Structure formats: C-alpha cells, structure tokens
Amino acid sequence: MILKCCIIDDEPLAIELLESYVKRTPFLQLEASFNSAVQAVERVSRGDIDLVFLDIQMPELDGMAFSRVIEGRSRIVFTTAFGQYAVDSYKVNAIDYLLKPIAYADFLKAAQKALQWFELSESSTTGTPAEHPTASPYIFVKSDYKLKQIPLDKILYIEGLKDYVKIYLEGEPHPILSLLSLKSLEEMLPEEQFIRVHRSFIVQGCKIKMIDRNRIVFGKEYIPISDTYKDSFAEFIARHSPLTGKSQN
C-alpha cells in the first residue's frame, strides 16, 4: 500500500526536513507541501490525500482548526515544537504526534502506524482479516546507506552497541548493522512479541528454543538475562508456559 501525503508547515526548514523523510520512506508518496493551512484546504478536501503531516501553530488557520475542517479519509500526524498540544491532538483522532526536532526513527514509527491504520481499515472494508492486527509486520532501518525492510517474524534478537544495533535474522549468516539506538528500535517493536532481557539485548519470544542458567541459547550464541530484566522476562515466559510455579533456572 502506498500512502499519498502532504506537508503543512509555515517553517521552510521544517518542510524541507519532512520532505526528505517522506522521500526516504518507500510506502509514502509526497503529493504537495504548503506553508499555510489555508492554502492546503482545497487540495486536501479533494479526498485523495491519505496522510497529512501538520504543524499546529500557524497564522490564519492553525493545525487544530484545520484538522476539524477537513473531512474524508485523510488522517493527521501533528508536528510541533510545543508538547502541551499532545492531549488535544488525540481529541481530533490524530494518528500520532511528533515533537520537533523530529528524528527519522520517530517519523518512521508514525508513518508505520498510519500504514497499519489504513491496512486495517481496508481489510475491514473488504472483509479480509489483517495478518497482524496489533502491529505492522515489518520495520524499515537504514543500513549501508540504504533503507531496508525487515520482516518482524524473521528477527531472532537485536544487540545494541552504543549508537548502533545489530539485528540478527533467521536464516541469515550476518546481522544487519544500523545507526540506531536500541531504545528507539525497541519503541518500534510490538511488546507482545519482543522482550528486553539485558541493557544490550532484545529477543523475540517465539524464537526462544532454550533457556540455560539465565541465558537464552540461539545456536552457538548465548544471550544473558540481566538482574534488571529478570522479573519481566520471567513474567513473559510465564504467560507462555504451564510451568508458572517453577523456576526457569
């Protein structure tokens, strides 16, 4: 699915940044950019724009007022430097709320959330059940100056190395290396599938085949379970095991 989008912001640098983010995201197609919400009303009202990246504080017609004016299929992702508007954004059914300065990881997460919304909406209209009702089935990460799509069901575990992450995939001899923090990647992953077990490791629960003395075994690799995450990991295992009253050691 390709989402048609537009950008509305009275700051030229903000428009330029968002345009670069849209161009880096394969499932987004930029239709138009506007430095005024008034100018954008006619274009968005045509009904073919899926996603609007919308600043809140603008002259003449602010973002909140604009979001109440438009009708149809268009969904909103608010972009603003002022955090006090977060609650109001959800009152107008915004898909997400991005606080400036906007990092690409946050932008991508919001875009994927919008994609998920439209996929679910389409599946409910056509009667086709969604394969992943609670999460997008993939993520995009930048590696080797390219944006790569990674199916979530292929991820074994993720290792954090300062400003980088290594993503280990099932059936792949080498991990994918990406300039991304482990925390920002963790926020993109569905918590019902992935669990943090160490400050440097996230694992996919359904891929765990063996736990040996507080270590998760992936072939020849051993992932440590630290004391900080031991209790939450035990609860995760208990939800998927009849051995809830027995030690996993």
Side-chain angles (χ1 to χ4, degrees):
M1 176 179 285
I2 300 296
L3 301 183
K4 293 182 177 181
C5 62
C6 74
I7 298 166
I8 307 173
D9 200 306
D10 62 340
E11 298 178 4
L13 290 178
I15 289 179
E16 185 178 340
L17 178 67
L18 290 174
E19 285 179 340
S20 71
Y21 285 174
V22 169
K23 291 175 183 177
R24 289 167 59 183
T25 309
F27 57 86
L28 295 182
Q29 177 179 311
L30 183 62
E31 294 293 310
S33 296
F34 302 92
N35 57 21
S36 164
V38 173
Q39 296 174 0
V41 170
E42 188 275 332
R43 179 66 185 87
V44 177
S45 295
R46 295 181 195 174
D48 64 331
I49 297 295
D50 301 307
L51 191 59
V52 181
F53 293 96
L54 177 64
D55 188 22
I56 292 181
Q57 283 203 332
M58 290 183 290
E60 297 183 274
L61 182 66
D62 66 36
M64 286 295 173
F66 177 88
S67 67
R68 295 183 177 97
V69 168
I70 62 170
E71 298 177 352
R73 66 180 278 120
S74 300
R75 295 265 96 49
I76 303 292
V77 171
F78 282 113
T79 61
T80 181
F82 303 95
Q84 67 265 29
Y85 294 109
V87 174
D88 289 337
S89 71
Y90 294 106
K91 292 181 181 178
V92 294
N93 295 321
I95 289 285
D96 211 343
Y97 176 94
L98 297 175
L99 194 62
K100 298 178 181 178
I102 300 168
Y104 180 64
D106 295 328
F107 175 91
L108 183 58
K109 183 179 179 181
Q112 288 179 321
K113 189 184 294 186
L115 180 64
Q116 175 193 344
W117 188 93
F118 279 101
E119 287 177 339
L120 290 174
S121 177
E122 184 174 280
S123 68
S124 64
T125 301
T126 60
T128 303
E131 183 179 356
H132 295 272
T134 59
S136 176
Y138 53 81
I139 58 174
F140 285 94
V141 299
K142 192 172 184 180
S143 180
D144 295 329
Y145 303 100
K146 301 172 185 176
L147 200 61
K148 295 184 178 180
Q149 183 190 99
I150 300 178
L152 293 183
D153 60 5
K154 295 294 184 182
I155 298 176
L156 293 173
Y157 64 94
I158 303 162
E159 180 181 5
L161 301 167
K162 293 186 178 179
D163 297 327
Y164 289 83
V165 294
K166 285 183 176 181
I167 304 174
Y168 293 82
L169 303 179
E170 199 169 37
E172 297 292 336
H174 303 292
I176 292 176
L177 186 66
S178 179
L179 181 60
L180 189 67
S181 73
L182 191 64
K183 178 176 174 56
S184 62
L185 183 55
E186 181 181 19
E187 292 174 349
M188 298 170 64
L189 300 171
E191 61 183 17
E192 69 274 10
Q193 289 179 245
F194 293 86
I195 178 75
R196 186 88 169 254
V197 298
H198 187 276
R199 64 184 178 85
S200 300
F201 290 98
I202 297 171
V203 302
Q204 178 156 205
C206 68
K207 302 298 183 181
I208 297 173
K209 306 300 182 185
M210 184 184 301
I211 303 170
D212 179 22
R213 299 190 207 125
N214 287 326
R215 297 180 301 175
I216 301 168
V217 182
F218 284 102
K220 296 181 179 180
E221 301 297 326
Y222 289 80
I223 307 301
I225 304 168
S226 70
D227 291 340
T228 302
Y229 298 96
K230 189 175 181 179
D231 290 343
S232 59
F233 181 69
E235 292 175 3
F236 182 89
I237 293 298
R239 293 199 299 270
H240 301 85
S241 171
L243 306 176
T244 55
K246 298 182 180 181
S247 171
Q248 300 295 322
N249 295 339

